[in-house]
Amino acid sequence: MKSCRGARTAVIVGAGVAGLTAASALARRGWRVEIAEAAPATATSGWGLCLTGPALRALDELGLADRCLAEGYGMAGITHVDVNGESADRVQLPRLIGAERPAMVGMARPVLHRILRETAERSGVVVHYGMTVAAVDQEQEFVRVRFSDGTVRQFALLVGADGIRSSVRAQLGLAASLDYHGQMVWRALVPRPPWATRIHQFAGEVNTAGLIPISGSQAYVFLTENGVGHGALPDAELAPRLRQLLGAFPGRVKEICPLVSASESVVCRPVQTALLAGAWNRGNGVVIGDAAHAPAPQMASGAALAIEDGLVLAHELACHESVGAGLESFVNRRARRCRTLVQTSVAIVGLEQAQRHHEAYPLVNACHQQMAEPA
């Protein structure tokens, strides 16, 4: 079998956080990398996200942490507020890239994607937009890939970084359950109030709300709605509905309501998780990021896992003679950590739904401390 130090060619499906990070990490180690991305180059994704300490630590290895900090909003931790509007708990997150730098950063998701895309392209990665993988065949030391445009090519490595509904996962014959947890998460981009200098999460009598700064001038508000079905509202009804839900909270949440004004600024998504209980790899193909382990958003760590995946994958492939051995080692190294995060996020969902917020706070803190351990 040819070693992964021989014909090092890789195709990654998906130009999201996991795919772009993996592409840069592999290219830095000498791989010739291409990405197939189904969306057009002009597509944007989501409003904002948090890069916790583990994400910043991994990005620092790529030389990108300071750029993300400059274009986002650095923070030290989380303030939990109870149903009466009183501060109930403060979580100080570990500062994993130095005591003088923030513990985490909130930033606009399109900005992070731009940074990761530019870094990958500077590393020689070629991104094919409007293209995906239609079929996969394992051929000894290669993966034979048929693209959606009808072309067929061979690669030493196939990486499925195509999200929670991954088609590559199915093409590799890997099965994962997609679980809905009875919650819908609402998000809207708003001007940042002066008091929003860290994550604020507000416990309500029914739902949970929060605010996350993503720049000096912007933040995004989120609301987790409990006990609802999986349906969708027309766009014109999203902003009025979110304002109605936020209006049930006391104190600072009411200040946010008037800021949620334009229906196009509001999105609503189901809280779903996915977890591969067995192998993430078959032959010379592997899935990473949400395709392998999609947590609920309560731990704000999905991006951290995805970024870590990309770096650890490149490292393990560099440490083994064959691609197959490298993939086995990668999965063995990552599976327990990612499973813990997904399961913890689901446990927090249950505590929120039961209005047992004071039990959720220490669980959040303990999991962040555990995630601070090396990836």
Side-chain angles (χ1 to χ4, degrees), residues 35-199:
I35 299 178
E37 169 53 53
T42 56
T44 58
S45 176
W47 290 127
L49 80 171
C50 278
L51 299 176
T52 55
L56 289 175
R57 177 174 57 194
L59 288 167
D60 208 28
E61 189 174 327
L62 290 175
L64 298 178
D66 285 326
R67 186 173 175 190
C68 290
L69 290 170
E71 299 207 39
Y73 192 94
M75 296 175 285
I78 307 166
T79 295
H80 293 286
V81 180
D82 67 19
V83 293
N84 298 313
E86 302 294 330
S87 180
D89 184 75
R90 287 173 66 90
V91 177
Q92 295 296 118
L93 297 180
R95 295 177 182 261
L96 301 185
I97 57 172
E100 302 304 316
R101 296 155 94 186
M104 63 179 168
V105 61
M107 65 188 308
R109 188 178 288 269
V111 172
L112 176 61
H113 282 193
R114 171 174 53 79
I115 292 171
L116 294 177
R117 183 182 67 249
E118 291 172 354
T119 301
E121 290 174 346
R122 283 198 301 268
S123 301
V125 176
V126 177
V127 184
H128 305 284
Y129 291 100
M131 182 184 294
T132 189
V133 169
V136 173
D137 292 304
Q138 302 280 352
E139 295 185 347
Q140 296 180 350
E141 69 267 32
F142 292 105
V143 181
R144 186 171 180 267
V145 173
R146 177 163 59 84
F147 292 98
S148 54
D149 66 352
T151 58
V152 178
R153 296 173 57 198
Q154 286 184 327
F155 296 88
L157 173 67
L158 166 67
V159 180
D162 50 341
I164 193 170
R165 294 175 180 81
S166 171
S167 62
V168 173
R169 186 175 61 213
Q171 289 161 347
L172 291 175
L174 305 173
S177 61
L178 188 61
D179 299 318
Y180 174 61
H181 296 282
Q183 290 182 327
M184 298 291 286
V185 173
W186 298 72
R187 296 183 179 91
L189 191 66
V190 298
R192 184 184 70 84
W195 51 264
T197 59
R198 53 197 283 130
I199 294 178

Side-chain angles (χ1 to χ4, degrees), residues 47 185-191 193 200 202 208-214 218-224 242 246 252-253 256-257 259-260 265-267:
W47 290 127
V185 173
W186 298 72
R187 296 183 179 91
L189 191 66
V190 298
H200 282 74
F202 304 88
T208 304
L211 193 71
I212 301 177
I214 60 173
Q218 290 185 315
Y220 76 88
V221 57
F222 66 87
L223 183 138
T224 307
L242 178 55
L246 291 171
R252 283 177 163 170
V253 180
I256 303 168
C257 291
L259 305 178
V260 182
S265 73
V266 180
V267 295

Side-chain angles (χ1 to χ4, degrees), residues 359-373:
E359 295 177 48
Y361 303 152
L363 188 59
V364 170
N365 185 45
C367 191
H368 279 299
Q369 298 299 325
Q370 188 171 353
M371 285 287 292
E373 296 298 320

Side-chain angles (χ1 to χ4, degrees), residues 346-357 359-361 363:
V346 172
I348 294 168
V349 168
L351 291 172
E352 284 184 353
Q353 291 170 327
Q355 303 301 308
R356 293 158 58 188
H357 299 285
E359 295 177 48
Y361 303 152
L363 188 59

